[in-house]
Amino acid sequence: MGVALDLGTSGFRGQAIDLERGGVVISTVITARHPLPGANVMDHLHLVLEVGLEPVRAMVIATVNQLIAGLQVTTTDIVRLVVCGNPIQLSLFEGIEVRDLAYAGKNKKRMLGIVAPDRDGKVVQAKEISGLLLPPQADVFILPAVKHEIGADALAMLVKSGILERREIALVTDYGTNAEMALKVGDTILTGSCAAGPALEGQHISAGMLAAPGAVADIYPEGSGHRLSVLDTDLYNRQGNLVDLPSGNLLTGGEVQAQGITGTGVVALICEAQRAGLLCLPRLITPDCSLHLGGDLIFTEKDLAEAGKAIGALRAGYVTLAKEAGIQIEDIQVAYMAGASGTYVDPLKAMEIGMVPPQVKTIVQIGNTSLSMARDVVCNPALLGEMQAIAKSLRATHCMFGESPVFEKAYILELAYWEEGMPWTQYMKFSELYRLPKLNPPQSSPKIIRQQRRDIDDLGSLGLKQLGEVGLTISEVFSGCSGCGICVEGCPERALTLNEAGSLSLRLAQCNGTACKRCEQNCPEKVFKLSNLCQKVTIGKCC
């Protein structure tokens, strides 16, 4: 028995593989969200800097154990585990240095004595990963990074897309909270990643959720209203309700009821609202400044701003890579879309609002390449060596968007466009002034190739299971706490609970982490400390 894992920024995904039957998928498990407090990789790194590596690693291992247990296979039969993901998630899983990923400046790293660890591909035994509930002799494959900034997930994206064999100038992007992208120009590959924000995964949105059963994945006009397209229990798009967006009135029922909206639904909603005249950035032109999907599912102007930051970061990203490569945006011929958002989104709508270069000739939707690559290695362990050889041979240059003056200028324009309503003509004038590659109007008819109908192509005979309650809940009694409950009332994610015994319990996966800390700020006695709770996590407590 083998297990493939994708440790993503917004959640984990796993599959059980029957090795005796030639790699048949048995089951699939996904988490509803990431187990760590925070919404992106920067939040996760800040958490490590505040509380140390070991408590954070313990949170990750606890969720991996939950995921494996949810696969409905006998754990003692597992002989091989393959793990793919971005450098931060894999480093936390392995328990190695991550501070080299937190600090950009070489002098800062040198001053702190930080040495980047070995992130080559490797095979270790399960007993070497403390707290991992697998047979001690089981092999754990950790897929390689190209450089410490270019992780195994980005390498998987390059390999599975086939971009390395293409002759045309091509861009591949994994659309998610931490959006990785790579531009291939000749024999040179330029990579970059941006903390686009969780909106493209349906998080930090009022009615948001990950791509899971019940999620609105697309929206399109029909008659006098708009039809929702909702994921069913097998992650296929099914017809949802027909609704009036300004009021939320139900016009006609559908096959599947919506429980929330995922990132691709957000993209479709913005595009359709713009087409219908319900949006004039940064405002929604409805009676209550909100769009309604029926019931209590709403999309607000705050949600629009959150989504705009993510979409703007993506466009600023490919503009920056084009500038660094010395090409024009119109030179990009092929765009690959990976990940759940890249699979379920309508590519023409994504292009219309700026997520895809506007004049590409072909768009290819390729699914979850990270999990797919892990599954391939489960079935054929020799692929690890091949991936390592590719990683060593790649002439890849990583652009640190956080240090790039080109990205800074491009993203400032995006914020002005999405949050302040800067007219497009003015946007273009400033873009020319900044000497950025020109963004021409979208091409109306690129060729669309959809390689996967869903981001996980094969769910297995036992189907899909979603872990709603993921991660850990930690309790603490804070000396001097009056029990007023103000911290609980002020928590935007309802992650805190005040217990009768006077202790406070925190659901770590629900917490917005170090970027929020409203609990600390709102505490009248100033005794609540988020780090105190997080530091209590240990492998023993988890496992």
Side-chain angles (χ1 to χ4, degrees):
M1 192 71 64
V3 172
L5 287 184
D6 167 32
L7 304 186
T9 305
S10 57
F12 295 173
R13 298 182 170 212
Q15 292 191 302
I17 315 295
D18 190 333
L19 299 178
E20 293 183 353
R21 290 196 290 156
V24 172
V25 178
I26 299 171
S27 57
T28 302
V29 176
I30 65 176
T31 65
R33 55 193 301 152
H34 198 282
L36 298 184
N40 55 55
V41 291
M42 297 312 297
D43 291 341
H44 301 163
L45 286 173
H46 285 150
L47 182 67
V48 174
L49 296 179
E50 278 205 355
V51 307
L53 174 62
E54 194 54 30
V56 181
R57 191 186 79 83
M59 300 176 199
V60 170
I61 294 297
T63 305
V64 168
N65 288 333
Q66 281 183 280
L67 205 68
I68 293 172
L71 289 171
Q72 305 176 67
V73 296
T74 304
T75 306
T76 53
D77 291 340
I78 297 173
V79 298
R80 188 179 305 142
L81 170 69
V82 179
V83 189
C84 192
N86 68 52
I88 294 167
Q89 310 303 331
L90 291 192
S91 297
L92 292 175
F93 172 84
E94 192 178 350
I96 60 176
E97 178 71 83
V98 296
R99 292 179 300 162
D100 60 310
L101 302 171
Y103 297 108
K106 293 181 180 179
N107 291 336
K108 179 71 172 180
K109 296 178 188 177
R110 190 180 302 113
M111 183 180 68
L112 294 174
I114 298 172
V115 178
D118 173 15
R119 292 194 174 91
D120 285 344
K122 56 179 70 72
V123 184
V124 300
Q125 292 189 320
K127 63 184 178 183
E128 299 176 56
I129 307 292
S130 176
L132 184 62
L133 299 182
L134 286 181
Q137 307 303 319
D139 289 327
V140 178
F141 288 64
I142 300 174
L143 299 191
V146 180
K147 293 182 179 178
H148 75 277
E149 309 100 334
I150 310 172
D153 55 347
L155 179 60
M157 179 178 71
L158 291 169
V159 172
K160 296 295 291 185
S161 67
I163 192 175
L164 298 176
E165 287 78 43
R166 295 202 74 110
R167 299 177 68 93
E168 314 100 313
I169 296 176
L171 177 78
V172 56
T173 306
D174 189 339
Y175 293 89
T177 302
N178 188 54
E180 289 87 15
M181 55 184 65
L183 177 66
K184 184 175 186 292
V185 182
D187 292 330
T188 300
I189 294 174
L190 290 92
T191 64
S193 62
C194 51
L200 294 180
E201 299 279 7
Q203 297 187 47
H204 279 200
I205 299 294
S206 298
M209 62 183 290
L210 295 179
V216 176
D218 196 5
I219 298 166
Y220 51 92
E222 182 181 314
S224 60
H226 281 82
R227 178 71 68 177
L228 308 182
S229 183
V230 184
L231 298 182
D232 66 11
T233 53
D234 292 321
L235 293 184
Y236 286 121
N237 274 305
R238 299 295 182 197
Q239 192 177 76
N241 293 338
L242 182 69
V243 299
D244 177 65
L245 291 180
S247 66
N249 290 337
L250 175 65
L251 304 179
T252 307
E255 301 172 351
V256 182
Q257 291 299 307
Q259 299 176 18
I261 184 168
T262 194
T264 59
V266 168
V267 171
L269 184 60
I270 292 173
C271 183
E272 294 296 351
Q274 202 163 33
R275 291 174 178 176
L278 300 176
L279 185 156
C280 182
L281 291 173
R283 303 299 175 204
L284 293 172
I285 315 302
T286 61
D288 63 351
C289 301
S290 297
L291 299 172
H292 299 261
L293 304 175
D296 59 356
L297 304 182
I298 66 169
F299 183 82
T300 67
E301 289 181 348
K302 182 180 177 182
D303 297 329
L304 176 61
E306 189 72 26
K309 287 188 291 186
I311 297 164
L314 287 167
R315 182 155 57 187
Y318 67 70
V319 165
T320 301
L321 291 184
K323 176 70 174 179
E324 295 292 341
I327 65 169
Q328 295 299 317
I329 301 297
E330 64 188 24
D331 294 329
I332 303 173
Q333 300 295 298
V334 184
Y336 292 89
M337 306 182 75
S341 292
T343 300
Y344 295 115
V345 74
D346 182 322
L348 297 181
K349 293 174 184 175
M351 175 185 280
E352 188 170 328
I353 65 173
M355 294 170 59
V356 178
Q359 292 188 307
V360 296
K361 302 297 189 294
T362 305
I363 299 175
V364 187
Q365 295 174 282
I366 57 178
N368 186 317
T369 54
S370 184
L371 182 62
S372 177
M373 192 76 245
R375 189 171 66 221
D376 287 352
V377 178
V378 168
C379 299
N380 182 7
L383 286 176
L384 178 67
E386 295 181 23
M387 287 189 71
Q388 185 62 59
I390 293 172
K392 292 293 186 184
S393 66
L394 277 178
R395 290 171 55 191
T397 301
H398 188 71
C399 179
M400 296 289 290
F401 288 158
E403 297 179 343
S404 168
V406 177
F407 183 85
E408 180 182 9
K409 291 173 183 176
Y411 193 51
I412 286 173
L413 286 182
E414 291 295 331
L415 292 179
Y417 174 75
W418 286 99
E419 297 188 346
E420 299 174 20
M422 173 188 278
W424 189 251
T425 52
Q426 190 175 356
Y427 180 109
M428 292 301 294
K429 287 180 181 178
F430 275 101
S431 179
E432 185 177 359
L433 180 65
Y434 292 155
R435 298 183 179 179
L436 299 175
K438 187 177 181 180
L439 286 161
N440 291 313
Q443 178 178 309
S444 58
S445 56
K447 180 181 180 181
I448 308 298
I449 301 174
R450 191 164 194 174
Q451 293 183 348
Q452 307 290 351
R453 288 186 61 196
R454 53 191 179 191
D455 69 315
I456 304 176
D457 55 339
D458 184 357
L459 298 178
S461 57
L462 297 181
L464 175 73
K465 179 179 180 180
Q466 182 180 17
L467 299 180
E469 297 291 326
V470 67
L472 303 169
T473 298
I474 302 297
S475 299
E476 171 81 333
V477 175
F478 290 94
S479 177
C481 173
S482 66
C484 65
I486 293 177
C487 59
V488 175
E489 295 171 5
C491 177
E493 299 297 328
R494 301 291 182 261
L496 272 173
T497 303
L498 180 62
N499 305 312
E500 291 184 5
S503 64
L504 284 162
S505 295
L506 175 68
R507 285 187 60 197
L508 295 171
Q510 292 288 123
C511 176
N512 281 341
T514 58
C516 175
K517 288 194 174 181
R518 292 188 191 178
C519 44
E520 290 190 13
Q521 297 165 8
N522 293 340
C523 178
E525 289 82 20
K526 303 301 178 188
V527 297
F528 186 98
K529 298 296 179 186
L530 178 63
S531 59
N532 285 15
L533 279 168
C534 293
Q535 285 171 340
K536 289 176 67 69
V537 181
T538 64
I539 288 293
K541 184 181 288 293
C542 296
C543 308

